[in-house]
Amino acid sequence: MRTENIFLAGTGAYIPPRVSVADAVRRGAYDRERMDSCGWRNIAVADGISAPDMAVAAVRQAVDRSGLGPDDIDLLVHSCAYHQGPDGWSAPHYILRSTLGSPIPALTVEQGCNAFLAALETATQYLLCAPSRNGAVVSGADNFGAPSVDRWYAHRDAVLADAATAVVLSKQSGWAALRSVESVSLPQFEILNRGHDPIFPPAVTTGRRLDMNEHLEAMVEELGPKASEIVQEYGASGTKLVEQVTAEAGITVADVSKVLHLGAGTADFLDSHLRPMGLDSSLGGVDFFRDVGHAGATDVGLQLNHLVEEGELSIDDHLLMLSAGPGLMITAAVLTVLETPARGEGGHA
């Protein structure tokens, strides 16, 4: 979807203190072979700080940087990959009450690691639906410190980190323009995030721990030889999606200045995801993520905020934001930098 007059006015993030991966190996929490192969150096761990509370900090920072007030914002969309708090509770309304305090709609997009960009697309469509709507806040936060998660072994390639991020969209002005955003699904591979778990009762209510490695094994068992097709179909769908959003943005894939992506600890791992889409891993942010980890739904927003704070963006840079999550669903978007954003203070604990 080509978008016009949608601007990025502010970014924010909250990254809690890091835990050394080498120290985790020494105390037996993590395997040295995995540390060497996966590339992680430090992991952001929030301990008892909830995901919504981290989101509050990120939203406050993004809104403050945007220069917009509560009356300028018509929607808050919160995104996450894991549970946020009490059953039957609305995390986005907690965030809304603690930040803007206005009576606007507040929604949750829970779409795994793709949730932040899916929420960005949702907020963009909401703004474009009515001329009277002016701005939106998109937040994302996850804390994987719950008893149901072993952050070190829940995923074979990643260590799960805790963090929050936020952006403010405006139809009036901003330092970057959102040129396009689009999603595609590969529902034939939905088992990749279901595994052998029964759909009811929900796994978290039975005390079962999160095990994404088992989910992968279940997909291979259920789909047989067809399971290997996921690499080709993911690459083909991703390539088509990237070509679509860049064309809608009025650029080519070769014009992309940076790729904002899900957390990766090595260039080889990132390359395995980007190369099938015609993208160079050198455009990514592996070095940043090696000292954060894979922070669920927040990765793309964290990398964007990092580029802002480090002064690594220039006028006319074209940023390709790309993520994937359960479904299998892929979302891509293109941002073009219009002016150098104010760097502000970092959102670190």
Side-chain angles (χ1 to χ4, degrees):
M1 177 180 70
R2 180 178 179 179
T3 58
E4 294 183 357
N5 298 320
I6 297 292
F7 303 98
L8 185 66
T11 67
Y14 180 89
I15 302 177
R18 272 72 156 188
V19 170
S20 164
V21 175
D23 286 348
V25 170
R26 282 191 285 271
R27 67 173 186 270
Y30 194 49
D31 181 75
R32 177 169 295 278
E33 184 177 346
R34 285 201 184 192
M35 179 183 73
D36 294 338
S37 64
C38 293
W40 308 106
R41 292 184 297 230
N42 297 285
I43 304 299
V45 176
D47 289 326
I49 305 173
S50 75
D53 282 315
M54 289 191 286
V56 167
V59 168
R60 286 175 176 167
Q61 185 179 58
V63 171
D64 182 63
R65 289 175 174 175
S66 74
L68 274 63
D71 292 340
D72 301 314
I73 297 172
D74 301 286
L75 177 71
L76 185 149
V77 186
H78 180 59
S79 60
C80 58
Y82 205 61
H83 306 289
Q84 299 288 288
D87 288 342
W89 175 67
S90 176
H93 284 90
Y94 174 85
I95 297 166
L96 178 63
R97 180 182 69 82
S98 303
T99 55
L100 302 173
S102 55
I104 61 174
L107 312 172
T108 298
V109 172
E110 186 178 346
Q111 218 274 309
C113 304
N114 194 52
F116 182 75
L117 285 188
L120 183 77
E121 183 177 17
T122 299
T124 298
Q125 293 171 337
Y126 184 88
L127 291 179
L128 293 174
C129 280
S132 61
R133 295 170 183 166
N134 295 311
V137 171
V138 178
S139 62
D142 277 302
N143 183 329
F144 291 102
S148 55
V149 181
D150 180 347
R151 71 172 72 247
W152 301 99
Y153 287 107
H155 191 293
R156 66 175 186 174
D157 297 311
V159 178
L160 301 180
D162 310 327
T165 189
V167 297
V168 176
L169 301 178
S170 170
K171 289 167 69 174
Q172 305 304 316
S173 64
W175 57 263
L178 180 64
R179 301 295 192 191
S180 59
V181 59
E182 192 63 69
S183 296
V184 65
S185 291
L186 301 172
Q188 63 270 36
F189 299 114
E190 63 81 23
I191 189 177
L192 176 61
N193 299 95
R194 170 165 50 91
H196 289 120
D197 286 356
I199 296 176
F200 185 85
V204 71
T205 67
T206 66
R208 185 162 184 175
R209 306 191 84 182
L210 178 66
D211 188 349
M212 288 179 275
N213 305 303
E214 187 274 337
H215 294 173
L216 176 61
E217 294 167 3
M219 184 188 77
V220 172
E221 181 178 321
E222 178 167 307
L223 299 182
K226 288 184 175 293
S228 63
E229 296 175 5
I230 189 172
V231 176
Q232 290 76 25
E233 294 201 30
Y234 174 80
S237 295
T239 298
K240 184 177 179 180
L241 182 63
V242 168
E243 290 175 348
Q244 177 183 342
V245 296
T246 51
E248 290 172 342
I251 64 171
T252 68
V253 176
D255 293 322
V256 171
S257 308
K258 298 182 186 297
V259 178
L260 281 60
H261 52 84
L262 297 180
T266 67
D268 287 345
F269 180 78
L270 181 61
D271 187 63
S272 70
H273 285 263
L274 298 187
R275 187 177 62 254
M277 302 180 193
L279 299 168
D280 192 327
S281 62
S282 66
L283 300 176
V286 169
D287 197 56
F288 166 69
F289 284 113
R290 290 187 72 190
D291 289 314
V292 176
H294 171 35
T298 73
D299 287 346
V300 171
L302 292 179
Q303 188 180 357
L304 176 61
N305 186 73
H306 172 73
L307 293 173
V308 170
E309 293 183 348
E310 295 302 313
E312 296 182 15
L313 296 177
S314 301
I315 296 172
D316 293 331
D317 275 353
H318 301 297
L319 312 179
L320 175 66
M321 302 189 291
L322 181 67
S323 63
L328 178 73
M329 181 168 159
I330 312 170
T331 301
V334 174
L335 277 175
T336 298
V337 178
L338 305 176
E339 59 186 57
T340 305
R343 294 169 67 169
E345 295 182 0
H348 305 276

